[in-house]
Amino acid sequence: MTSDNSKIILANIYGEDKPGVTAQLTQILANHQAYILDIGQSDIHNNLVLGILFLTTEEQSGNILKDLLFKSYELGVTIRFKPITGEEYMDWVGMQGKNRYIITIVARKITAEMIAGIARASAEQGLNIDDIKRLTGRISLNVEASKTPMASVEFSMRGTPDDVEALQAEFVRLSQAHSMDISFQRESMYRRTRRLICFDMDSTLIQTEVIDELAECAGVGDRVREITERAMRGEIDFNESFKERVALLKGLDVSVMQEIAERLPLTEGLERLMRTLKLVGFKIAILSGGFMFFGNYLKNKFGIDYVYANELEVEDGKLTGRYVGDIVDGKRKAELLRLIAQVEGVHLMQTVAVGDGANDLPMLSLAGLGIAFHAKSKVKQNAKQTLSNVGIDGILYFLGYKDSIIDDETVNSL
C-alpha cells in the first residue's frame, strides 16, 4: 500500500461542533483520492475533537493540506498536521495484536481523583489508553433533576498487564478509597454478546431476606436472622441452616406470604435494569435459596424467564416446617446456570451471574461475568467483579450499555 512516494499525515481538528464538519473535510480527502488509515471523533461539551490519519502521495499532499486549511478556516475550526513515518505507522499497527481490556468505573459522582487513579494504575502495569467514553448521560448540576443518580466512564485499554493480581488489588484499594466500583474485563466477542443473566433473589433483587420476613410473622425473627447471617457469611453450611430456619416457620398461615410479597422492598434501579435487559433480548433467571412463591411473584411482575427456588410444604393452609424437593444451594445454582445456558444455546462466557451471599460464589465463578452485588466481605474477596456503591442498574454499565440506549423513551415506548 505504501511506497517511497507515499506520505502519511495525521490531521487533528478541534473547535465548535456543528453539522457537516466531518463530511466536508473527508470529502476533500476523497477528491484527492487519499486513503484513510484511521479516524476517530468525540464531542466534549459541544466541542469537536477529530483525528484523521490518511495516506497520500508527495505530489498530492501539498494540495490536500492547502484545501483542508482553507476549509477549516471556513468552518471555524482549527486544524494541525503531523507527518507520520512508515516506521511509526508500523509500530502502531503492531499494537493491534496486543491484548485489550475494558475498565468501567461506576459511582454516584465521578471525580478527577478517580480518573487519575485508574489511569495511573493502568500505566504502571503497561496498559495504554485507546479510548475513554462516558456511558451515563450529561450530568445536571441540579442533582434532584438527574434521571439516574450515578455516573459511569469506560476506558478501552491495550497491552498486557505486568501483574494482573497486583492491578486488581490496586483497583480494590481505589474502590474503597473513593466509593466507586471498578470492573476490569478482558475485551472479547463474548463481552459484547452476553445473553443470559442469573440473579440471586434475597438481598439482591429485593432488599430483604424473605425468610426473615416470614420469621417475624411467626414470632421467631431473632433466631432466624442470626442463622441467616451466619449462613450468608459462610460460617455454617447453607443446607443445614436452611433446614433449621424452615423448621422454625411451622404453623405459619400461608396467606402471610402474599402480604409479604406485595410489600417487598425492591432494590434501587431494579425496574430500570429489568426493562433494559428485556429490551436488548436477555434471558433472565432467578436462582435463589429463597422460596418459589416470591420468585414467581417477581417473575410475573418483570417477565422473568426462569425461576428456581425452594418450595415450602403446606398442609391445611399452614406451613409444616418442611420443604419439598432438593435445596437450591450454591452447587445447585451453578448447575442450573449451566443447564439454562445449554437450553438457550448460550456459551458460558456469554452468561452473567449476580448475587450477594457465600452460596452465590459457585455461579459467580462459573459465569462469564460474575458480579458480587452489595455483597458480604468474603464474597467480594472471591468474586470477579463487585458493585457496592450504586443501584443494581449499575450492572448495565458493566455490560457496556450507554444511557442513550437505556433511557431512550422512544424505544422503550414501542
Side-chain angles (χ1 to χ4, degrees):
M1 185 169 61
T2 61
S3 66
D4 292 341
N5 193 38
S6 299
K7 196 165 185 69
I8 302 173
I9 299 170
L10 174 63
N12 289 307
I13 302 101
Y14 55 94
E16 182 183 353
D17 195 12
K18 61 186 74 171
V21 173
T22 302
Q24 294 183 60
L25 293 176
T26 52
Q27 185 59 53
I28 290 172
L29 296 176
N31 293 342
H32 291 282
Q33 298 182 323
Y35 187 87
I36 294 179
L37 300 171
D38 193 26
I39 186 168
Q41 178 174 321
S42 62
D43 178 277
I44 302 174
H45 197 60
N46 205 38
N47 280 268
L48 170 74
V49 180
L50 170 64
I52 307 174
L53 184 68
F54 63 92
L55 174 70
T56 185
T57 63
E58 285 282 359
E59 294 80 10
Q60 289 283 3
S61 61
N63 291 329
I64 291 177
L65 300 190
K66 179 188 68 175
D67 289 352
L68 287 173
L69 280 169
F70 278 126
K71 181 57 68 174
S72 63
Y73 177 79
E74 179 184 314
L75 294 169
V77 297
T78 301
I79 188 166
R80 295 285 184 268
F81 301 107
K82 179 183 177 182
I84 303 296
T85 67
E87 185 179 53
E88 289 173 327
Y89 177 74
M90 292 310 296
D91 286 344
W92 175 78
V93 169
M95 288 285 289
Q96 303 300 308
K98 291 197 174 183
N99 293 326
R100 292 189 62 199
Y101 295 89
I102 298 295
I103 300 173
T104 310
I105 60 175
V106 184
R108 296 294 179 183
K109 179 174 65 176
I110 300 292
T111 67
E113 281 185 308
M114 294 176 183
I115 301 293
I118 294 293
R120 174 190 51 74
S122 302
E124 288 175 352
Q125 287 292 330
L127 293 177
N128 185 63
I129 299 173
D130 269 359
D131 183 47
I132 303 175
K133 63 183 178 183
R134 186 185 70 243
L135 299 181
T136 43
R138 293 171 180 170
I139 301 167
S140 171
L141 295 179
N142 179 0
V143 177
E144 294 180 358
S146 299
K147 283 187 176 181
T148 310
M150 72 177 99
S152 180
V153 172
E154 181 182 279
F155 297 77
S156 178
M157 300 285 195
R158 193 178 299 276
T160 302
D162 298 325
D163 188 335
V164 172
E165 289 187 4
L167 178 60
Q168 291 178 317
E170 177 61 9
F171 285 162
V172 170
R173 189 194 69 78
L174 289 169
S175 296
Q176 295 171 345
H178 300 295
S179 298
M180 65 173 168
D181 296 303
I182 305 172
S183 168
F184 179 67
Q185 302 178 57
R186 180 78 172 266
E187 179 67 297
S188 70
M189 66 175 183
Y190 296 121
R191 179 180 176 269
R192 298 293 180 180
T193 58
R194 309 280 192 203
R195 285 297 173 265
L196 169 65
I197 186 165
C198 298
F199 293 97
D200 174 45
M201 180 171 64
D202 296 24
S203 296
T204 300
L205 297 181
I206 55 176
Q207 293 179 305
T208 187
E209 294 286 330
V210 168
I211 198 166
D212 293 345
E213 300 289 330
L214 291 168
E216 283 295 325
C217 296
V220 290
D222 290 341
R223 294 168 65 188
V224 166
R225 262 194 305 274
E226 188 272 334
I227 300 172
T228 299
E229 282 300 312
R230 290 173 62 202
M232 290 298 100
R233 291 194 300 266
E235 295 174 4
I236 56 175
D237 176 72
F238 178 82
N239 286 11
E240 188 57 39
S241 73
F242 179 80
K243 294 174 185 176
E244 290 180 22
R245 289 177 289 169
V246 169
L248 292 170
L249 302 178
K250 183 177 180 179
L252 185 64
D253 196 290
V254 293
S255 63
V256 170
M257 292 200 289
Q258 182 63 32
E259 296 171 11
I260 292 174
E262 291 174 355
R263 54 181 168 83
L264 286 175
L266 301 180
T267 298
E268 176 192 354
L270 180 59
E271 294 189 11
R272 183 173 184 250
L273 172 65
M274 289 296 176
R275 182 185 71 239
T276 305
L277 291 175
K278 297 296 289 184
L279 177 69
V280 298
F282 266 83
K283 291 294 181 179
I284 306 170
I286 291 176
L287 308 181
S288 173
F291 303 118
M292 280 295 296
F293 184 92
F294 303 98
N296 283 329
Y297 180 85
L298 294 176
K299 177 182 179 179
N300 294 332
K301 184 177 181 66
F302 294 110
I304 291 168
D305 301 286
Y306 298 91
V307 176
Y308 290 93
N310 298 299
E311 191 75 60
L312 292 170
E313 185 181 72
V314 178
E315 287 182 1
D316 300 324
K318 295 185 182 298
L319 301 184
T320 66
R322 297 186 296 271
Y323 59 91
V324 179
D326 296 329
I327 295 175
V328 179
D329 58 5
K331 180 182 177 182
R332 182 61 177 154
K333 288 185 179 187
E335 291 171 350
L336 288 166
L337 186 154
R338 188 186 297 275
L339 176 63
I340 297 170
Q342 290 175 349
V343 169
E344 293 293 342
V346 172
H347 193 285
L348 278 175
M349 288 300 295
Q350 293 176 280
T351 66
V352 184
V354 186
D356 73 298
N359 65 324
D360 295 312
L361 281 172
M363 73 170 181
L364 296 186
S365 299
L366 180 64
L369 178 63
I371 303 172
F373 177 70
H374 288 242
K376 315 299 184 289
S377 120
K378 177 183 176 181
V379 183
K380 287 183 181 180
Q381 291 168 9
N382 290 278
K384 298 173 186 175
Q385 316 287 343
T386 64
L387 192 68
S388 302
N389 297 286
V390 298
I392 199 167
D393 51 340
I395 290 170
L396 295 169
Y397 305 116
F398 282 10
L399 295 174
Y401 294 112
K402 300 181 69 173
D403 277 358
S404 56
I405 295 174
I406 299 169
D407 296 321
D408 187 328
E409 295 179 3
T410 303
V411 172
N412 287 318
S413 66
L414 295 178

